[in-house]
Amino acid sequence: CQSGDSPMNEPGTLRTDHLDRNRHTRTDTTGRFHLPHNVEVDFAFVIHELGCARTTLDRLRRGPVILEPWGRVEGTLRVGDRPGANQAVALYSGSLAASKADTSVAFCYQTNTDAEGRFAFEKVPPGIPTLCRVIRPTPGPTGPFEFSHKTRITVPSGATANARVGGEGHTV
């Protein structure tokens, strides 16, 4: 994905290339952190090797944040009645523009299928993201692209979701 508003474009890794340095921090060895008092944000993403959370800054200041364990997504891409070999698929959810009530962690991941059309995404925030095929009219990792065969899936906390993209169309 090439989404400029997704704080996670790689599994389990918070992007810092587009974030204001005064708006992100790391905890110390005891789990404590410090943000400048003038930070004006509505929510915080908490990313850890074991899981993630999205919470309000007020709740973050009041007490411990309970992380949800990462989920995993695996599946197959079909193009017609054949495996979608060596094709791009994407998994995405939310955006930084989400409402204050939304507790999902925004992300946008992309991977390629293998020769049998199989794919997997590790360290996926639990929730209901969209899974789809990525179609690029010109070869290469940059340039225009479209999402096709969008499918909403449920990613359980600490478990694997199995999914299938495509393979349900009609020959014309």
Side-chain angles (χ1 to χ4, degrees):
C1 292
Q2 296 175 341
S3 176
D5 69 350
S6 293
M8 290 177 39
N9 281 0
E10 294 181 29
T13 304
L14 183 66
R15 285 181 58 204
T16 57
D17 62 331
H18 73 300
L19 298 176
D20 178 344
R21 287 211 167 279
N22 291 325
R23 297 179 119 188
H24 74 273
T25 188
R26 291 191 178 270
T27 62
D28 62 19
T29 56
T30 66
R32 298 197 179 278
F33 68 96
H34 173 75
L35 286 174
H37 292 287
N38 63 346
V39 171
E40 294 181 25
V41 295
D42 294 325
F43 55 87
F45 291 105
V46 180
I47 308 295
H48 186 272
E49 179 66 26
L50 300 176
C52 61
R54 175 180 161 159
T55 186
T56 64
L57 213 50
D58 182 54
R59 179 178 250 167
L60 191 60
R61 287 182 175 126
R62 281 188 284 139
V65 173
I66 307 300
L67 301 178
E68 286 195 77
W70 298 111
R72 182 175 192 277
V73 174
E74 63 183 31
T76 57
L77 171 67
R78 305 287 298 174
V79 177
D81 60 355
R82 296 185 308 257
N86 306 310
Q87 299 290 312
V89 292
L91 182 68
Y92 65 92
S93 179
S95 76
L96 292 179
S99 74
K100 292 180 186 180
D102 183 2
T103 60
S104 64
V105 175
F107 66 93
C108 187
Y109 300 160
Q110 185 174 317
T111 193
N112 289 322
T113 61
D114 66 13
E116 299 299 318
R118 294 180 298 238
F119 61 85
F121 293 98
E122 306 292 335
K123 293 187 178 177
V124 177
I128 306 175
T130 301
L131 178 65
C132 59
R133 179 180 178 196
V134 179
I135 298 177
R136 295 187 181 279
T138 57
T142 60
F145 64 92
E146 293 183 27
F147 290 154
S148 173
H149 296 83
K150 294 179 184 179
T151 305
R152 303 270 295 176
I153 62 170
T154 299
V155 178
S157 178
T160 299
N162 293 291
R164 179 177 163 163
V165 178
E168 299 178 17
H170 299 284
T171 303
V172 178

